[in-house]
Every structure is written in C-alpha cells, then in structure tokens.
Amino acid sequence: MTGTVLVTGGSGYIAGFVIRRLVETGWTVRATIRSLAREPEVRAWLGVDDARLSFVAADLTDDAGWAAAMAGCSHVAHLASPLPAGAPAHEDELIVPARDGALRALRFAADAGVGRVVMTSSVAAIAYGHGGDRTRFTEADWTVVDGPGVYAYPKSKTIAERAARDWLAQAGGGPELVTVNPSAVLGPVLGPDFSASIEAVKKLLAGDLPGLPDLGFGIVDVRDVADLHVRCLTEPGIAGERFIASGPFLKLADIAAVLRDEMGEAARRVPKMKLPDMLVRMAARFDPVLSQVVGELGHVRETPADHARARLGWVPRPHRETIVDTARSLIERGIVAA
Ligand code: NAP
C-alpha cells in the first residue's frame, strides 16, 4: 500500500524517523511544521528524496493550514504534541495544544475523507496515577489523571487520547483511529533539535548529574517506534486499538552501566554513585524539572509490548544497541564532547 501520508509535527524527533521510514517504503509524505521558515533545516536533517516530501504550515492551536495539509491524504500520522524538557508554568500549556490539536487533526481528517489516523499517544496515558504497588500495565489501563503524582505531561497525553477516542465515538463515522503508546524514546539523533526524552542519556554522558537518582522508565528505539507507526498505518483490522511500544524498564543506574560497559573513555563522566532519595527530594524543592518526577522515585512501570509483537509482528532491537547508538550520535554530532 502506498499513497500520501500527512505527518504532523514534521520537525519532531520521532516524526523524522517516521517520515524516513515512510519514504523508504514507497509513500509520499506531506508534513506539518509550525513555520515554513524551518523547512530547509528539517529537509537537511531528514535527507530524503525532496520530491517525495512537502511541507504545510499548521499549528495545533489554530485551524489555519489544516484543510490544505489533509487534502489528498489517505492516512495521517499525528505526532505533534508538546514535550518540553522543563516543567510548564501551567499544565494547560501542554494539555490544551495536545487535546485541541488531536481533535483538530481528527476533524480535518474526517472532512478530507482520510481512512486512518495513527496518533502517537504514550505509556504516559496508561501507567500513571494508579497508586498502590502495581508495576505492570497493558493497553487495557488508563492513567488516572487526578491520581497521585500525575504531572502535566501524562495528563496532556491521557486527556488528548481520551478526547480523540470520545470525539470519534460521538461523531459516529470518520477515519479509523489507532494509537501507538511508546515509553521513553531513545536512539540516534538526526540533528540538534532532539526530543526531551534524549536528555537523560545526554546528562549522564556529559557528567551533568552528580549521581544516579532511583528513577527509571521503559525505553524503546526511535527506529522501532517509526516502524510500528508504519505497521499501524497499513495493517488491516486494527481500528480503535492501542499498541504499546516499549522495551524493558531500566533505572538510570542500568543505563549508566551500559554506557560504561560499551562507551569506554567517552563514558568517563557517567556517574557511578546512587543518589539517596532524601537528597533528590531536597534538590527537587529548588528544581522545577526534578519536582515533576520526584514522585517517581523507586517506581517500576513495566509496559510490555506483547500486543504489538503478537498482532503486528513488531520486533524491537536490544536495548543496549539503542543506548549505545544514542550516545554515539550525541558525540558524533558534537552535542556531547567526546
Ligand atoms: P519532539 O521532538 O519535541 O516533537 C514534538 C513535535 O510537536 C514538534 O514537531 C513540535 O514542533 C510539535 N509541536 C509542539 N507544539 C506544537 C504546536 N502548538 N503546534 C504544532 N506543532 C507543535 O518530541 P517527540 O519525542 O518527537 O514526540 C512526538 C510525539 O511522540 C509526541 O506526541 C509525544 O508526546 C510522543 N511521545 C514521545 C515520547 C518520547 O519519549 N520522546 C514517548 C511517548 C510519546 P516544533 O518543532 O515547532 O516545536
């Protein structure tokens, strides 16, 4: 199957790999970016055949550009959503564009007769706010937005995915919707504008952390996430489904150990000492980024991708390869000193 796919948020980290994979597999891609002034820069990172890629300006918070973006597209991969490295001044800075952008993408897709929308949701819409001792979550679970420790980003992803599903249910027609729900996405970076999810590896390698807080996350490779998006765009009979995209849950100490094992001298600044929870909690009082995730100390959230493996034949690569390729690309691109 080939045709034209609209990829929203074409300047984004995961979107870059989705666009590459689509073009490699014969699709033509139209991508939205907030400003066409960025088109030359984004084209340069992507390095795909110019004739198979075009850009339209569109923002999640405004109707302008969306009708033109959708015209003639049979499929949409909706990736645009705010993912800042820091904490927002107010949670609505994330929730409103995430929710309204998803609804806008669906509404204009429905008007244009698009057949399927694959929306990039997150395990943040699955595994948070449940309380208690649960450590394992599946596609059947939904983050409890007013549950304990749920900060702005998981709220934004949960509210956006719910809103998209509710809108389609009450519209009684429109495109099929499938969601890809990745854990923390790592892997090679294409340019200097990479996702906030790369920050942990960057900070470890650059020696920006005084020690290792007892924090962790599921990790998944950006190339495998892109591959899953393409499978979700084309596989028949999966309307309405959610697909977790995740490898193992790793603590920062596990990631640090892989870096030290595999990166030799380049890993010399990676910390070895664990940071006591008490120290992290104290530091979080003065650090808004840390204060968002301090509730995560000691937590384990396994989000196995059994459904994607069984239903779509998705096979993610080993996590060591992902961590090493992330580190190598940060060094090769001069983002972290060798
Ligand atoms: P990213 O590199 O920060 O990409 C986010 C994209 O969204 C960028 O293209 C950004 O445009 C766009 N965007 C943000 N606000 C916008 C607005 N108001 N209007 C139009 N576009 C807007 O992050 P990413 O990691 O590739 O994330 C892509 C998707 O995957 C997001 O939906 C994210 O929630 C989801 N996800 C990511 C991870 C992860 O670990 N990275 C895990 C699970 C799910 P600008 O370049 O103009 O800012």
Side-chain angles (χ1 to χ4, degrees):
M1 190 194 291
T2 53
T4 302
V5 182
L6 179 71
V7 176
T8 70
S11 54
Y13 175 52
I14 302 172
F17 284 85
V18 171
I19 292 170
R20 277 188 168 183
R21 185 92 186 114
L22 284 167
V23 171
E24 271 166 26
T25 51
W27 293 82
T28 297
V29 174
R30 189 175 299 142
T32 65
I33 42 178
R34 289 200 244 198
S35 162
L36 289 178
R38 292 196 69 196
E39 178 177 337
E41 173 201 356
V42 176
R43 274 195 193 278
W45 298 335
L46 293 175
V48 298
D49 178 1
D50 274 350
R52 303 269 296 286
L53 174 64
S54 59
F55 289 90
V56 171
D59 194 290
L60 292 170
T61 58
D62 194 319
D63 282 350
W66 284 93
M70 295 282 174
C73 293
S74 53
H75 294 71
V76 173
H78 175 57
L79 287 100
S81 198
L83 178 51
H90 190 282
E91 63 185 21
D92 281 350
E93 285 175 31
L94 307 192
I95 294 170
V96 172
R99 179 196 60 211
D100 293 2
L103 293 175
R104 196 161 262 120
L106 275 180
R107 185 158 48 85
F108 280 95
D111 290 350
V114 166
R116 183 177 289 176
V117 175
V118 174
M119 173 174 168
T120 318
S121 184
S122 173
V123 296
I126 289 179
Y128 288 72
H130 295 278
D133 296 332
R134 272 187 73 189
T135 57
R136 204 174 165 85
F137 302 88
T138 73
E139 286 87 353
D141 294 305
W142 279 90
T143 287
V144 181
V145 287
D146 51 3
V150 181
Y151 51 99
Y153 178 70
K155 275 190 193 174
S156 75
K157 296 305 288 181
T158 310
I159 290 170
E161 189 190 330
R162 281 246 191 241
R165 291 178 179 277
D166 290 349
W167 185 86
L168 263 186
Q170 60 82 32
E176 294 179 352
L177 177 67
V178 178
T179 63
V180 174
N181 295 64
S183 56
V185 180
L186 302 179
V189 300
L190 293 178
D193 188 5
F194 47 81
S195 174
S197 52
I198 300 290
E199 285 292 329
V201 176
K202 178 178 164 249
K203 284 196 162 84
L204 287 173
L205 262 188
D208 290 346
L209 295 179
L212 298 162
D214 186 18
L215 291 170
F217 31 80
I219 73 161
V220 61
D221 194 288
V222 68
R223 294 161 290 191
D224 298 327
V225 174
D227 172 62
L228 186 58
H229 277 75
V230 177
R231 288 172 192 258
C232 286
L233 282 165
T234 53
E235 178 72 22
I238 56 169
E241 296 200 27
R242 307 173 96 190
F243 290 94
I244 287 173
S246 185
F249 181 94
L250 299 178
K251 293 282 174 97
L252 283 177
D254 302 322
I255 297 175
V258 173
L259 291 171
R260 279 198 303 274
D261 286 354
E262 305 282 348
M263 295 299 294
E265 182 59 11
R268 67 193 175 281
R269 292 174 293 244
V270 175
K272 293 195 179 95
M273 296 259 298
K274 294 197 175 167
L275 278 182
D277 290 356
M278 199 181 64
L279 257 184
V280 179
R281 288 201 181 92
M282 274 167 57
R285 288 197 208 148
F286 309 101
D287 181 334
V289 178
L290 207 49
S291 75
Q292 288 201 118
V293 293
V294 75
E296 294 297 302
L297 281 168
H299 277 253
V300 172
R301 293 179 209 281
E302 299 279 1
T303 49
D306 297 349
H307 185 44
R309 287 174 187 270
R311 179 67 181 83
L312 301 171
W314 181 69
V315 183
R317 68 202 66 210
H319 70 271
R320 291 180 88 86
E321 184 181 331
T322 300
I323 294 167
V324 169
D325 287 354
T326 312
R328 287 203 178 120
S329 82
L330 288 170
I331 292 168
E332 274 162 24
R333 293 184 183 280
I335 295 162
V336 173

